[in-house]
Amino acid sequence: MTEGQKFAHSPEELLSEMHEGVLVLTINRQESYNAWTSALRDALGRKLSAADTDLSVDAVIITGAGDRAFCSGQDLSELQEFADGMNIEAFMQRLTKCYDSVRQFSKPLVAAINGVAAGSGFQVTQFCDYVIAHPGVRVGQTEVTSGLPSVFGTWLMWERIGRRALELALQGRLMEVEEAKHLGFIHEVAEPSKVLEVALEAARRLAKQPRVAYSLSKAANRQFDEQRYAIAMEMAVAAYREAFNTGAPQQEIGKFFKRRRARKVASTPASGVSG
């Protein structure tokens, strides 16, 4: 099996459902806490681009399947395949293309956070117009704990909260919902069973705004940080290339999977263990 086949996108990994003019896109990889691959991000970008020109779509909601995670970030098994930093350019180009699709989406875009949102999963919520979560949600930049440089994600937080972003990123700490709301990463908190319902209400409320004014306002605001966005991404690419050339991230990722396998073995009932 080639690397492309191993991480190919399956339609079941990104579910689409219309709710009276609101398109709900659901990341559906529950076995990996809705961690996404490059192929899945490609699919999200295509869906958003199509929805932006579809007259039947008034707004879009991004959420995660199940009750454990919105998106836990990058599927580390994809990065583990990289022998060195040579693969990083293409990988980051695909990531940037997805982020561009999210940033450039001209209609209302709402994040319905139903569980943990970490790393690039947290980053994508910061491009959305409105973010809803429930009291059990945790969000943050966790790259450093996985051996990955936290550069672009730190910049995104820095744009909102300043130097405190570095403290959060270097700890790889997930924020509880109260702290995240206080800092402006979450706009509204709902009961766990009501997150999608409240998100639909917010999407429809935003969709009632005058279409041209809404779209032009988003476009203008995007230009405010366009240069800083590009510089931050360039810095992230350079940092990832340097890190992967040392082999350190691959080693840390290997340790992560070793710990996870050990936990699975420890939690397996004795009657289910083969001899």
Side-chain angles (χ1 to χ4, degrees):
M1 180 183 292
T2 67
E3 183 177 336
Q5 290 171 327
K6 183 176 180 181
F7 297 105
H9 170 64
S10 167
E12 290 75 26
E13 292 181 345
L14 184 63
L15 307 177
S16 303
E17 187 175 6
M18 285 291 290
H19 292 257
E20 297 178 359
V22 178
L23 176 63
V24 177
L25 299 176
T26 303
I27 301 169
N28 183 37
R29 300 185 77 231
Q30 296 185 59
E31 74 288 348
S32 60
Y33 284 81
N34 294 331
W36 53 11
T37 62
S38 295
L40 177 53
R41 280 195 297 270
D42 292 346
L44 176 63
R46 290 193 297 269
K47 290 280 188 182
L48 288 173
S49 296
D52 213 11
T53 58
D54 188 338
L55 297 180
S56 69
V57 177
D58 299 321
V60 168
I61 293 172
I62 303 175
T63 191
D67 58 8
R68 299 189 302 174
F70 168 82
C71 175
S72 60
Q74 171 64 36
D75 188 325
L76 295 178
S77 60
E78 183 177 7
L79 296 182
Q80 194 177 29
E81 302 289 318
F82 294 176
D84 53 39
M86 290 185 63
N87 302 86
I88 292 300
E89 292 281 352
F91 172 82
M92 295 299 284
Q93 284 176 4
R94 293 174 75 179
L95 174 70
T96 304
K97 186 175 181 180
C98 172
Y99 282 4
D100 286 346
S101 297
V102 179
R103 278 168 49 87
Q104 294 167 11
F105 188 70
S106 67
K107 300 174 183 178
L109 183 60
V110 176
I113 304 182
N114 56 304
V116 67
S120 55
F122 176 46
Q123 290 167 24
V124 80
T125 69
Q126 294 177 67
F127 295 133
C128 295
D129 305 334
Y130 202 73
V131 180
I132 296 159
H134 64 71
V137 159
R138 295 188 302 157
V139 302
Q141 294 302 131
T142 53
E143 290 96 339
V144 168
T145 60
S146 299
L148 302 173
S150 184
V151 178
F152 185 79
T154 301
W155 168 75
L156 264 182
M157 293 194 296
W158 192 293
E159 285 289 303
R160 195 179 300 261
I161 64 174
R163 190 170 182 82
R164 186 173 180 183
L166 184 60
E167 171 256 320
L168 289 170
L170 292 181
Q171 291 187 72
R173 180 167 68 82
L174 290 171
M175 294 174 278
E176 303 290 340
V177 72
E178 295 85 0
E179 180 181 9
K181 186 173 187 295
H182 174 72
L183 293 175
F185 295 114
I186 292 170
H187 303 115
E188 188 172 350
V189 180
E191 291 300 314
S193 62
K194 300 285 188 181
V195 170
L196 182 57
E197 178 183 330
V198 174
L200 285 165
E201 292 172 358
R204 293 186 179 115
R205 182 174 68 249
L206 292 174
K208 290 180 180 178
Q209 296 283 33
R211 177 77 179 87
V212 172
Y214 195 93
S215 175
L216 291 176
S217 295
K218 287 189 68 171
N221 278 272
R222 186 171 66 248
Q223 293 303 314
F224 291 159
D225 67 358
E226 191 70 36
Q227 186 175 15
R228 297 192 302 279
Y229 167 78
I231 291 173
M233 189 61 76
E234 289 174 3
M235 292 174 64
V237 172
Y240 265 64
R241 186 191 306 113
E242 183 175 351
F244 274 84
N245 276 335
T246 70
Q250 297 93 316
Q251 293 176 14
E252 291 298 327
I253 292 170
K255 292 176 184 177
F256 167 80
F257 284 116
K258 185 176 181 180
R259 291 193 298 269
R260 190 168 75 173
R261 286 192 296 270
R263 287 196 299 268
K264 286 184 177 180
V265 170
S267 63
T268 300
S271 59
V273 177
S274 60

